[in-house]
């Protein structure tokens, strides 16, 4: 099949931010009394918007988090990003190939625009997606609902059936499948079976995206 649009998630797909952000989130929640392991943080929160993260954390805690919790976590996360963040291995080659072949691309992320401004800027990817970056803040329901993917496809003027999504989380894969799109599930956390059951075609290297473009 020949795809007309490749839709990338951001965290964990374009930028290798997940290990860094998850550690900061784990430490921040521990300070508020929710002491989870790193693997539990990944299982509970990866792929969700930050508002959904807060809602779920408050459910687990049994009470609300401080009003400035997200601001503090984001500030700490950005500090770590500036020191340690890198692009996902192989993604620059994939993006360059899409550009050379005239295949359109965009970003559809649970992260907000402020976060993507930092992460894509630090890794040299911002200009590659200029004007084609979409956030769950633009839709009423984030992942695992299909709304963000459908919104991105509509804004790009492409039929959802002609879109290929590259995701790394279960909520992301489920949302893309619900949108009627083919999904490549980039697996680096040992979730192959779950990602496959959710409807993703599992890949382990980002350059494998090129094999599926047809």
């Amino acid at each position: 099949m020949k795809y007309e649009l490749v839709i990338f998630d951001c965290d964990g797909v374009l930028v290798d931010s997940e290990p860094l952000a998850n550690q900061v989130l784990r430490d921040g929640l521990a300070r508020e009394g929710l002491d989870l392991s790193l693997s539990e943080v990944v299982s509970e929160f990866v792929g969700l918007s930050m508002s959904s993260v807060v809602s779920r954390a408050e459910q687990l805690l049994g009470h609300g988090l401080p009003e400035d919790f997200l601001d503090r976590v984001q500030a700490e996360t950005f500090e770590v990003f500036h020191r340690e963040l890198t692009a996902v291995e192989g993604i620059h080659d994939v993006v360059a190939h899409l550009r050379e072949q005239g295949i359109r691309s965009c970003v559809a992320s649970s992260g907000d625009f402020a976060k993507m401004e930092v992460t894509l800027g630090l890794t040299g990817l911002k200009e590659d997606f200029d004007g084609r970056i979409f956030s769950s803040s633009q839709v009423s329901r984030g992942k695992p609902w299909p709304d963000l993917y459908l919104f991105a496809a509509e804004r790009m003027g492409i039929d959802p059936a002609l879109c290929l999504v590259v995701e790394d989380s279960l909520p992301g894969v489920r949302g893309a499948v619900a949108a009627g799109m083919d999904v490549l599930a980039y697996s680096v956390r040992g979730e192959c079976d779950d990602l496959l059951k959710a409807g993703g075609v599992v890949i382990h290297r980002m350059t494998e995206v090129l094999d599926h473009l047809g």
Side-chain angles (χ1 to χ4, degrees):
M1 178 177 179
K2 187 171 180 61
Y3 299 101
E4 295 186 7
L5 177 66
V6 179
I7 303 176
F8 293 96
D9 178 40
C10 185
D11 294 299
V13 170
L14 296 177
V15 298
D16 197 14
S17 55
E18 295 286 18
L20 306 176
N22 290 334
Q23 185 64 55
V24 173
L25 177 60
R26 196 218 73 81
D27 293 346
L29 289 171
R31 288 193 295 269
E32 301 302 329
L34 184 58
D35 194 5
L36 302 175
S37 68
L38 196 55
S39 62
E40 287 172 328
V41 167
V42 170
S43 177
E44 288 285 352
F45 303 120
V46 165
L48 301 180
S49 67
M50 288 310 292
S51 60
S52 296
V53 168
V54 168
S55 296
R56 178 58 180 152
E58 289 179 338
Q59 287 179 345
L60 294 171
L61 274 168
H63 59 78
L65 289 166
E67 289 186 6
D68 66 343
F69 175 78
L70 279 184
D71 290 338
R72 288 189 283 111
V73 166
Q74 186 174 64
E76 292 174 23
T77 302
F78 286 179
E79 287 181 12
V80 175
F81 284 171
H82 276 89
R83 294 195 307 268
E84 303 179 39
L85 185 65
T86 60
V88 167
E89 184 177 358
I91 194 61
H92 285 293
D93 293 334
V94 172
V95 171
H97 177 84
L98 295 179
R99 184 169 55 247
E100 291 165 3
Q101 297 299 313
I103 301 172
R104 302 177 71 189
S105 62
C106 68
V107 180
S109 173
S110 294
D112 59 31
F113 287 109
K115 183 179 181 182
M116 287 188 280
E117 179 82 13
V118 172
T119 59
L120 296 177
L122 288 172
T123 53
L125 289 161
K126 181 182 174 183
E127 291 185 359
D128 290 315
F129 296 100
D130 188 36
R132 294 173 284 115
I133 299 172
F134 307 105
S135 166
S136 61
S137 63
Q138 296 175 283
V139 295
S140 58
R141 302 179 302 180
K143 305 170 186 180
W145 299 99
D147 303 32
L148 178 57
Y149 302 102
L150 295 173
F151 177 78
E154 180 182 14
R155 290 288 296 268
M156 296 294 292
I158 304 295
D159 186 325
L162 299 176
C163 296
L164 178 66
V165 175
V166 186
E167 266 285 357
D168 73 319
S169 72
L170 281 171
V173 170
R174 288 169 177 153
V177 169
M181 301 176 180
D182 288 349
V183 192
L184 297 181
Y186 180 55
S187 177
V188 293
R189 292 189 297 267
E191 297 178 308
C192 298
D193 289 344
D194 291 338
L195 293 168
L196 189 64
K197 290 175 183 177
V201 174
V202 174
I203 62 173
H204 300 283
R205 299 186 312 278
M206 192 53 64
T207 50
E208 291 180 64
V209 172
L210 303 180
D211 300 330
H212 294 264
L213 292 177

